[in-house]
Short mmCIF file of all heavy atoms in Angstrom, two decimals:
data_model
loop_
_atom_site.label_atom_id
_atom_site.label_comp_id
_atom_site.label_asym_id
_atom_site.label_seq_id
_atom_site.Cartn_x
_atom_site.Cartn_y
_atom_site.Cartn_z
N ARG A 29 21.82 24.72 -8.71
CA ARG A 29 22.27 24.27 -10.03
C ARG A 29 22.90 22.88 -9.97
O ARG A 29 23.76 22.54 -10.78
CB ARG A 29 23.23 25.27 -10.67
CG ARG A 29 22.58 26.62 -10.96
CD ARG A 29 23.53 27.59 -11.66
NE ARG A 29 22.85 28.82 -12.00
CZ ARG A 29 22.72 29.85 -11.16
NH1 ARG A 29 23.24 29.80 -9.95
NH2 ARG A 29 22.07 30.94 -11.55
N LYS A 30 22.49 22.10 -9.01
CA LYS A 30 22.96 20.72 -8.90
C LYS A 30 21.80 19.73 -8.99
O LYS A 30 21.95 18.56 -8.68
CB LYS A 30 23.73 20.52 -7.57
CG LYS A 30 24.98 21.38 -7.44
CD LYS A 30 25.68 21.12 -6.10
CE LYS A 30 26.88 22.03 -5.91
NZ LYS A 30 27.97 21.71 -6.87
N HIS A 31 20.61 20.24 -9.36
CA HIS A 31 19.41 19.42 -9.60
C HIS A 31 18.81 18.81 -8.33
O HIS A 31 18.04 17.86 -8.41
CB HIS A 31 19.71 18.30 -10.61
CG HIS A 31 20.29 18.79 -11.91
ND1 HIS A 31 19.57 19.56 -12.79
CD2 HIS A 31 21.53 18.63 -12.44
CE1 HIS A 31 20.34 19.85 -13.85
NE2 HIS A 31 21.52 19.30 -13.65
N TYR A 32 19.16 19.34 -7.16
CA TYR A 32 18.64 18.77 -5.92
C TYR A 32 17.11 18.90 -5.84
O TYR A 32 16.40 17.92 -5.56
CB TYR A 32 19.28 19.43 -4.71
CG TYR A 32 20.75 19.12 -4.53
CD1 TYR A 32 21.69 20.13 -4.35
CD2 TYR A 32 21.20 17.80 -4.53
CE1 TYR A 32 23.04 19.85 -4.18
CE2 TYR A 32 22.54 17.50 -4.37
CZ TYR A 32 23.46 18.53 -4.20
OH TYR A 32 24.79 18.24 -4.04
N ALA A 33 16.59 20.10 -6.06
CA ALA A 33 15.13 20.30 -5.94
C ALA A 33 14.39 19.50 -7.01
O ALA A 33 13.34 18.93 -6.74
CB ALA A 33 14.80 21.79 -6.06
N GLN A 34 14.93 19.46 -8.20
CA GLN A 34 14.29 18.71 -9.28
C GLN A 34 14.15 17.24 -8.91
O GLN A 34 13.08 16.64 -9.08
CB GLN A 34 15.12 18.84 -10.56
CG GLN A 34 14.52 18.10 -11.76
CD GLN A 34 15.39 18.23 -12.99
OE1 GLN A 34 16.40 18.93 -13.00
NE2 GLN A 34 15.02 17.55 -14.06
N ASN A 35 15.21 16.65 -8.39
CA ASN A 35 15.17 15.25 -8.00
C ASN A 35 14.28 15.02 -6.79
O ASN A 35 13.56 14.02 -6.70
CB ASN A 35 16.59 14.74 -7.73
CG ASN A 35 17.35 14.44 -9.00
OD1 ASN A 35 17.48 13.29 -9.40
ND2 ASN A 35 17.89 15.47 -9.63
N LEU A 36 14.30 15.96 -5.84
CA LEU A 36 13.45 15.83 -4.66
C LEU A 36 11.98 15.89 -5.04
O LEU A 36 11.17 15.06 -4.60
CB LEU A 36 13.79 16.94 -3.66
CG LEU A 36 12.94 17.00 -2.39
CD1 LEU A 36 12.99 15.68 -1.62
CD2 LEU A 36 13.39 18.16 -1.50
N VAL A 37 11.61 16.87 -5.88
CA VAL A 37 10.21 17.01 -6.28
C VAL A 37 9.76 15.79 -7.08
O VAL A 37 8.62 15.32 -6.91
CB VAL A 37 10.00 18.31 -7.08
CG1 VAL A 37 8.61 18.35 -7.70
CG2 VAL A 37 10.20 19.52 -6.18
N TYR A 38 10.64 15.25 -7.92
CA TYR A 38 10.28 14.03 -8.65
C TYR A 38 9.96 12.89 -7.68
O TYR A 38 8.93 12.20 -7.83
CB TYR A 38 11.40 13.60 -9.59
CG TYR A 38 11.25 12.15 -10.01
CD1 TYR A 38 10.25 11.76 -10.90
CD2 TYR A 38 12.08 11.17 -9.47
CE1 TYR A 38 10.09 10.42 -11.25
CE2 TYR A 38 11.92 9.83 -9.81
CZ TYR A 38 10.93 9.46 -10.70
OH TYR A 38 10.76 8.14 -11.02
N GLN A 39 10.82 12.67 -6.70
CA GLN A 39 10.61 11.58 -5.75
C GLN A 39 9.32 11.77 -4.96
O GLN A 39 8.57 10.81 -4.73
CB GLN A 39 11.81 11.47 -4.80
CG GLN A 39 13.12 11.07 -5.44
CD GLN A 39 13.13 9.62 -5.92
OE1 GLN A 39 12.24 8.83 -5.61
NE2 GLN A 39 14.15 9.27 -6.68
N VAL A 40 9.05 13.00 -4.55
CA VAL A 40 7.83 13.28 -3.79
C VAL A 40 6.60 13.12 -4.69
O VAL A 40 5.57 12.57 -4.27
CB VAL A 40 7.90 14.68 -3.16
CG1 VAL A 40 6.57 15.05 -2.52
CG2 VAL A 40 9.01 14.72 -2.11
N ALA A 41 6.69 13.60 -5.94
CA ALA A 41 5.57 13.44 -6.87
C ALA A 41 5.27 11.96 -7.10
O ALA A 41 4.11 11.55 -7.22
CB ALA A 41 5.89 14.13 -8.19
N LYS A 42 6.31 11.15 -7.15
CA LYS A 42 6.12 9.71 -7.34
C LYS A 42 5.43 9.09 -6.12
O LYS A 42 4.54 8.24 -6.26
CB LYS A 42 7.46 9.03 -7.58
CG LYS A 42 7.35 7.58 -8.04
CD LYS A 42 8.71 7.04 -8.45
CE LYS A 42 8.57 5.61 -8.97
NZ LYS A 42 7.99 4.68 -8.00
N ILE A 43 5.82 9.50 -4.93
CA ILE A 43 5.16 9.01 -3.71
C ILE A 43 3.68 9.36 -3.74
O ILE A 43 2.81 8.54 -3.43
CB ILE A 43 5.84 9.62 -2.46
CG1 ILE A 43 7.22 9.00 -2.25
CG2 ILE A 43 4.97 9.41 -1.21
CD1 ILE A 43 8.03 9.68 -1.16
N ILE A 44 3.38 10.60 -4.13
CA ILE A 44 1.99 11.05 -4.20
C ILE A 44 1.22 10.22 -5.24
O ILE A 44 0.11 9.74 -4.97
CB ILE A 44 1.93 12.55 -4.55
CG1 ILE A 44 2.50 13.38 -3.40
CG2 ILE A 44 0.51 12.99 -4.87
CD1 ILE A 44 2.73 14.84 -3.75
N SER A 45 1.79 10.05 -6.42
CA SER A 45 1.13 9.30 -7.49
C SER A 45 0.89 7.86 -7.09
O SER A 45 -0.16 7.28 -7.42
CB SER A 45 1.98 9.35 -8.77
OG SER A 45 2.01 10.65 -9.30
N ASP A 46 1.84 7.27 -6.37
CA ASP A 46 1.69 5.88 -5.94
C ASP A 46 0.53 5.70 -4.96
O ASP A 46 0.06 4.58 -4.75
CB ASP A 46 3.00 5.38 -5.31
CG ASP A 46 4.10 5.17 -6.34
OD1 ASP A 46 3.78 5.15 -7.55
OD2 ASP A 46 5.28 5.04 -5.95
N GLN A 47 0.09 6.81 -4.36
CA GLN A 47 -1.07 6.76 -3.46
C GLN A 47 -2.38 6.99 -4.21
O GLN A 47 -3.45 7.05 -3.60
CB GLN A 47 -0.93 7.83 -2.38
CG GLN A 47 0.28 7.66 -1.46
CD GLN A 47 0.38 8.80 -0.47
OE1 GLN A 47 -0.52 9.04 0.34
NE2 GLN A 47 1.48 9.53 -0.52
N GLY A 48 -2.30 7.11 -5.54
CA GLY A 48 -3.50 7.36 -6.33
C GLY A 48 -3.93 8.80 -6.34
O GLY A 48 -5.06 9.12 -6.74
N LEU A 49 -3.05 9.72 -5.92
CA LEU A 49 -3.34 11.15 -5.88
C LEU A 49 -2.63 11.86 -7.03
O LEU A 49 -1.67 11.32 -7.61
CB LEU A 49 -2.89 11.75 -4.55
CG LEU A 49 -3.46 11.12 -3.28
CD1 LEU A 49 -2.78 11.71 -2.05
CD2 LEU A 49 -4.97 11.33 -3.21
N THR A 50 -3.07 13.06 -7.35
CA THR A 50 -2.44 13.85 -8.40
C THR A 50 -1.56 14.93 -7.78
O THR A 50 -2.06 15.79 -7.04
CB THR A 50 -3.49 14.54 -9.30
OG1 THR A 50 -4.31 13.55 -9.90
CG2 THR A 50 -2.82 15.36 -10.38
N PRO A 51 -0.24 14.93 -8.07
CA PRO A 51 0.63 16.00 -7.56
C PRO A 51 0.36 17.31 -8.30
O PRO A 51 0.08 17.30 -9.51
CB PRO A 51 2.05 15.49 -7.87
CG PRO A 51 1.89 14.07 -8.30
CD PRO A 51 0.50 13.93 -8.83
N MET A 52 0.45 18.43 -7.61
CA MET A 52 0.38 19.74 -8.25
C MET A 52 1.27 20.69 -7.47
O MET A 52 1.67 20.41 -6.33
CB MET A 52 -1.05 20.26 -8.34
CG MET A 52 -1.75 20.61 -7.05
SD MET A 52 -1.38 22.30 -6.41
CE MET A 52 -1.93 23.34 -7.74
N LEU A 53 1.59 21.81 -8.09
CA LEU A 53 2.37 22.84 -7.40
C LEU A 53 2.17 24.18 -8.08
O LEU A 53 1.76 24.26 -9.23
CB LEU A 53 3.85 22.47 -7.31
CG LEU A 53 4.63 22.06 -8.57
CD1 LEU A 53 4.95 23.25 -9.46
CD2 LEU A 53 5.94 21.37 -8.17
N TYR A 54 2.48 25.24 -7.32
CA TYR A 54 2.50 26.59 -7.85
C TYR A 54 3.96 26.98 -8.09
O TYR A 54 4.85 26.58 -7.35
CB TYR A 54 1.90 27.59 -6.85
CG TYR A 54 0.44 27.39 -6.54
CD1 TYR A 54 0.04 26.76 -5.36
CD2 TYR A 54 -0.54 27.85 -7.41
CE1 TYR A 54 -1.30 26.60 -5.06
CE2 TYR A 54 -1.89 27.71 -7.11
CZ TYR A 54 -2.26 27.08 -5.94
OH TYR A 54 -3.59 26.92 -5.64
N THR A 55 4.18 27.79 -9.14
CA THR A 55 5.52 28.28 -9.38
C THR A 55 5.47 29.77 -9.68
O THR A 55 4.42 30.33 -10.01
CB THR A 55 6.18 27.57 -10.59
OG1 THR A 55 5.53 28.01 -11.80
CG2 THR A 55 6.09 26.07 -10.48
N ASP A 56 6.64 30.40 -9.57
CA ASP A 56 6.82 31.77 -10.03
C ASP A 56 6.89 31.72 -11.55
O ASP A 56 7.82 31.16 -12.13
CB ASP A 56 8.10 32.34 -9.45
CG ASP A 56 8.33 33.80 -9.81
OD1 ASP A 56 7.77 34.26 -10.82
OD2 ASP A 56 9.09 34.48 -9.10
N ALA A 57 5.90 32.31 -12.22
CA ALA A 57 5.83 32.22 -13.68
C ALA A 57 7.04 32.84 -14.37
O ALA A 57 7.36 32.49 -15.50
CB ALA A 57 4.55 32.89 -14.17
N ASP A 58 7.71 33.76 -13.68
CA ASP A 58 8.85 34.44 -14.29
C ASP A 58 10.18 33.72 -14.04
O ASP A 58 11.22 34.16 -14.53
CB ASP A 58 8.94 35.87 -13.74
CG ASP A 58 7.69 36.68 -14.06
OD1 ASP A 58 7.21 36.57 -15.21
OD2 ASP A 58 7.19 37.39 -13.17
N TYR A 59 10.14 32.63 -13.29
CA TYR A 59 11.36 31.86 -13.00
C TYR A 59 11.44 30.74 -14.03
O TYR A 59 11.09 29.59 -13.77
CB TYR A 59 11.31 31.32 -11.58
CG TYR A 59 12.63 30.85 -11.03
CD1 TYR A 59 12.74 30.44 -9.69
CD2 TYR A 59 13.78 30.81 -11.81
CE1 TYR A 59 13.95 30.01 -9.17
CE2 TYR A 59 14.98 30.39 -11.30
CZ TYR A 59 15.07 29.99 -9.98
OH TYR A 59 16.27 29.56 -9.47
N ILE A 60 11.93 31.06 -15.22
CA ILE A 60 11.89 30.16 -16.37
C ILE A 60 12.68 28.89 -16.12
O ILE A 60 12.22 27.78 -16.45
CB ILE A 60 12.41 30.89 -17.62
CG1 ILE A 60 11.50 32.07 -17.95
CG2 ILE A 60 12.46 29.92 -18.81
CD1 ILE A 60 12.01 32.94 -19.08
N ALA A 61 13.86 29.00 -15.54
CA ALA A 61 14.71 27.82 -15.33
C ALA A 61 14.03 26.80 -14.42
O ALA A 61 14.05 25.60 -14.69
CB ALA A 61 16.06 28.25 -14.76
N SER A 62 13.42 27.29 -13.34
CA SER A 62 12.74 26.39 -12.40
C SER A 62 11.56 25.71 -13.06
O SER A 62 11.36 24.50 -12.92
CB SER A 62 12.29 27.18 -11.16
OG SER A 62 11.57 26.35 -10.28
N ASN A 63 10.76 26.46 -13.80
CA ASN A 63 9.60 25.88 -14.46
C ASN A 63 10.01 24.83 -15.48
O ASN A 63 9.34 23.81 -15.64
CB ASN A 63 8.78 26.99 -15.13
CG ASN A 63 8.16 27.93 -14.12
OD1 ASN A 63 7.93 27.56 -12.98
ND2 ASN A 63 7.90 29.16 -14.53
N SER A 64 11.10 25.07 -16.17
CA SER A 64 11.61 24.10 -17.13
C SER A 64 11.98 22.80 -16.45
O SER A 64 11.70 21.71 -16.98
CB SER A 64 12.84 24.67 -17.85
OG SER A 64 13.40 23.72 -18.72
N CYS A 65 12.55 22.88 -15.26
CA CYS A 65 12.91 21.67 -14.50
C CYS A 65 11.67 20.86 -14.14
O CYS A 65 11.66 19.63 -14.25
CB CYS A 65 13.68 22.04 -13.24
SG CYS A 65 15.37 22.60 -13.55
#
């Protein structure tokens, strides 16, 4: 609840995008808070 994973995934997604690739991930569909982030 300190936004660490959200910020980490953003930074990694940006690295991926800067390489011309599309970031994707799987999530637990029932974990609403995580999916919202």
Side-chain angles (χ1 to χ4, degrees):
R29 296 183 176 86
K30 298 180 184 292
H31 305 293
Y32 291 129
Q34 181 182 355
N35 281 260
L36 177 57
V37 170
Y38 161 72
Q39 294 291 349
V40 172
K42 190 172 183 302
I43 288 172
I44 293 169
S45 292
D46 288 346
Q47 298 177 60
L49 304 173
T50 300
M52 67 83 60
L53 51 75
Y54 296 101
T55 71
D56 183 337
D58 299 317
Y59 196 174
I60 298 173
S62 177
N63 294 335
S64 176
C65 287

